[in-house]
């Protein structure tokens, strides 16, 4: 399962216990039980064609944070026997190793206001602490990742090339995608007017990307730093709204279970603003209600486009999974449009 040369590069025993870990859509992740426990991850090279940019961004953040906030826990990949933080196998895949942080847990759905507050505080703290870092040292690991205009174009391209059966099957969702194009315009206005500054954002702030202390339920650290790069704060705030407010995840097929929990929304805002409130400009704050709409729309479009392309991007365990995810996200989007004021 794990190439011998990778185990050797990281000086792991060939007898170590290896178990699949987590619920990510992109990489292959394993728990490795050796003298200590580790997390070993194979980076998806079709998506992240330049993993060395991820490593460089992570190092830039680590160095800045270490100097400024020595007590802040920022996850950093471990060096291999040559001192590199990425090791390549014969097929050209990059692998990285992390310490497994004991006595912590992740959750896939928010259950309490306290969890929402704490997770949002944790993500807000990262951007706040990186405020003042030299942005020119950070580079996009995925170009125009959260550019809504690009994502809408990609949806249109996928639609143009799609097999007619897939189009028929997804007709309702395709129609719904078109009814929300006013959000693309709102996005462009915001960006083109240069109203809000670029910051170092996480760009994947879904709820399972924060580690909670298993006992105290405090946020211990932020994980999945692949897309730590320049971005707008609404990307982070919006992905939290998308993944926190509903009691069920993007995988849920029963759309009646999707709801907008106003108390959770408010807890998440107050957690995020407890860190970022003093950093955000007045202009940025005006876009708070837009954040959740934009990020939920972007995910609906991305899932729908991937379904129309025949599931080339996200891991799926059944054929219509991306369509289910798109339906789920459009339902959630409607609720956010009605409630996130
Ligand atoms: C992907 O692999 P994972 O779960 O960390 C995706 C995010 C989406 C998310 C939806 C690089 O993240 O943008 O929000 O799925 N990451 C990439 O669950 O495309
Ligand atoms: Mg991710």
């Amino acid at each position: 399962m794990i190439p011998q040369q990778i185990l050797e590069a990281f000086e792991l025993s060939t007898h170590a216990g290896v178990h699949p870990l987590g619920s990510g859509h992109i990489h292959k992740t394993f728990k490795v039980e050796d003298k200590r426990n580790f997390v070993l991850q194979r980076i998806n090279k079709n998506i992240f064609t330049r993993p060395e940019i991820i490593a460089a961004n992570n190092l830039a953040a680590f160095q800045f944070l270490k100097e400024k906030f020595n007590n802040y826990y920022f996850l950093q990949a471990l060096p291999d026997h040559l001192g590199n933080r990425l090791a390549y196998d014969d097929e050209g895949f990059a692998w990285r190793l992390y310490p497994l942080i004991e006595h912590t847990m992740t959750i896939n759905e928010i259950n309490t206001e306290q969890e929402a507050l704490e997770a949002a505080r944790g993500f807000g703290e990262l951007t706040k602490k990186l405020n003042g870092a030299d942005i020119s040292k950070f580079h996009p690991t995925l170009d125009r990742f959260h550019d809504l205009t690009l994502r809408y174009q990609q949806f249109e391209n996928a639609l143009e090339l799609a097999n007619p059966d897939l189009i028929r099957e997804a007709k309702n969702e395709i129609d719904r995608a078109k009814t929300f194009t006013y959000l693309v315009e709102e996005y462009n206005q915001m960006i083109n007017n240069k109203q809000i500054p670029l910051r170092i954002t996480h760009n994947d702030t879904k709820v399972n990307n924060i580690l909670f202390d298993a006992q105290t339920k405090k946020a211990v650290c932020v994980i999945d730093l692949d897309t730590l790069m320049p971005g707008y704060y609404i990307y982070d705030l919006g992905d939290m709204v998308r993944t926190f407010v509903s009691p069920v995840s993007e995988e849920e097929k029963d759309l009646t279970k999707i709801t907008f929990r106003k108390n959770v929304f408010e807890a998440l805002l107050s957690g995020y603003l407890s860190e970022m409130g003093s950093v955000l400009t007045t202009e940025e704050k005006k876009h708070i209600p837009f954040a959740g709409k934009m990020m939920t729309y972007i995910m609906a479009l991305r899932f729908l486009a991937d379904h129309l392309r025949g599931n080339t991007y996200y891991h799926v365990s059944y054929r219509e999974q991306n369509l289910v995810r798109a339906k789920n996200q459009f339902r959630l989007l409607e609720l956010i449009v009605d409630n996130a004021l």
Side-chain angles (χ1 to χ4, degrees):
M1 202 154 40
I2 295 173
Q4 175 95 4
Q5 68 198 123
I6 296 300
L7 292 171
E8 281 168 10
F10 287 114
E11 297 173 315
L12 295 168
S13 153
T14 44
H15 303 296
V18 174
H19 313 276
L21 185 71
S23 53
H25 295 342
I26 310 282
H27 305 308
K28 285 197 170 156
T29 310
F30 305 93
K31 176 180 179 185
V32 178
E33 295 169 343
D34 202 347
K35 285 174 231 88
R36 293 193 287 143
N37 291 329
F38 297 98
V39 176
L40 181 63
Q41 200 166 45
R42 189 186 84 164
I43 299 179
N44 183 325
K45 65 176 177 177
N46 296 325
I47 294 177
F48 290 98
T49 52
R50 298 192 55 197
E52 66 282 3
I53 299 183
I54 304 177
N57 286 349
N58 281 218
L59 188 63
F62 177 74
Q63 285 169 340
F64 177 83
L65 293 167
K66 191 161 176 269
E67 195 173 307
K68 285 247 176 183
F69 308 99
N70 196 26
N71 289 330
Y72 180 69
Y73 190 82
F74 180 79
L75 192 62
Q76 170 77 328
L78 298 165
D80 73 356
H81 71 295
L82 298 173
N84 301 320
R85 288 173 203 265
L86 291 172
Y88 288 84
D89 67 19
D90 282 343
E91 291 176 59
F93 283 103
W95 293 72
R96 60 192 169 191
L97 185 72
Y98 293 101
L100 186 131
I101 307 173
E102 302 288 350
H103 313 297
T104 60
M105 55 183 278
T106 56
I107 53 175
N108 288 319
E109 292 95 15
I110 290 279
N111 291 308
T112 64
E113 289 169 25
Q114 192 51 34
E115 284 172 359
L117 189 132
E118 193 47 29
R121 197 199 55 70
F123 282 121
E125 185 181 10
L126 178 64
T127 306
K128 182 180 186 180
K129 288 209 157 44
L130 286 171
N131 191 32
D134 180 357
I135 277 210
S136 70
K137 289 196 176 142
F138 294 79
H139 301 283
T141 57
L142 295 168
D143 280 332
R144 301 176 67 190
F145 186 49
H146 285 145
D147 180 337
L148 190 53
T149 305
L150 173 74
R151 295 304 188 177
Y152 193 79
Q153 279 165 4
Q154 289 175 335
F155 154 70
E156 285 184 313
N157 293 345
L159 184 57
E160 233 172 83
L161 299 173
N163 156 330
D165 290 339
L166 288 179
I167 297 182
R168 226 167 291 124
E169 184 188 26
K171 176 157 189 331
N172 279 339
E173 285 58 53
I174 293 168
D175 290 346
R176 281 161 104 197
K178 293 177 183 166
T179 64
F180 287 101
T181 47
Y182 69 93
L183 294 173
V184 183
E185 274 160 42
E186 198 173 332
Y187 176 77
N188 283 330
Q189 263 171 25
M190 189 184 71
I191 304 306
N192 294 338
N193 293 347
K194 305 233 179 308
Q195 291 170 339
I196 61 172
L198 280 174
R199 302 185 174 281
I200 305 300
T201 48
H202 179 280
N203 290 296
D204 194 7
T205 56
K206 55 186 195 182
V207 58
N208 55 17
N209 278 337
I210 196 133
L211 292 186
F212 289 96
D213 183 296
Q215 240 121 54
T216 65
K217 302 285 157 55
K218 292 276 170 208
V220 173
C221 88
V222 164
I223 58 171
D224 188 352
L225 298 161
D226 295 333
T227 49
L228 184 78
M229 59 185 174
Y232 298 106
Y233 92 95
I234 54 167
Y235 300 160
D236 283 358
L237 181 64
D239 215 36
M240 285 189 258
V241 175
R242 180 181 83 78
T243 59
F244 289 19
V245 298
S246 172
V248 291
S249 81
E250 65 197 17
E251 303 294 348
E252 179 58 55
K253 293 180 185 166
D254 181 351
L255 302 187
T256 65
K257 291 191 181 155
I258 303 172
T259 59
F260 185 96
R261 295 177 295 178
K262 206 152 189 120
N263 61 330
V264 171
F265 177 67
E266 273 155 18
L268 116 63
L269 276 186
S270 85
Y272 187 73
L273 293 176
S274 72
E275 294 286 343
M276 287 295 286
S278 58
V279 174
L280 295 176
T281 65
T282 313
E283 202 50 53
E284 280 178 301
K285 285 184 186 161
K286 287 187 192 156
H287 297 284
I288 289 175
F290 180 62
K293 297 177 208 171
M294 182 221 149
M295 290 303 289
T296 308
Y297 186 38
I298 225 173
M299 281 315 304
L301 290 172
R302 290 177 66 194
F303 286 140
L304 182 55
D306 202 34
H307 178 73
L308 293 170
R309 279 191 298 257
N311 305 322
T312 57
Y313 188 93
Y314 293 109
H315 291 162
V316 289
S317 46
Y318 58 94
R319 188 193 64 82
E320 347 55 279
Q321 191 166 7
N322 276 314
L323 183 60
V324 165
R325 291 167 174 158
K327 285 186 188 176
N328 171 308
Q329 296 291 284
F330 278 121
R331 175 65 193 134
L332 179 61
L333 176 56
E334 285 165 0
L335 292 170
I336 294 176
V337 167
D338 290 344
N339 288 283
L341 306 170

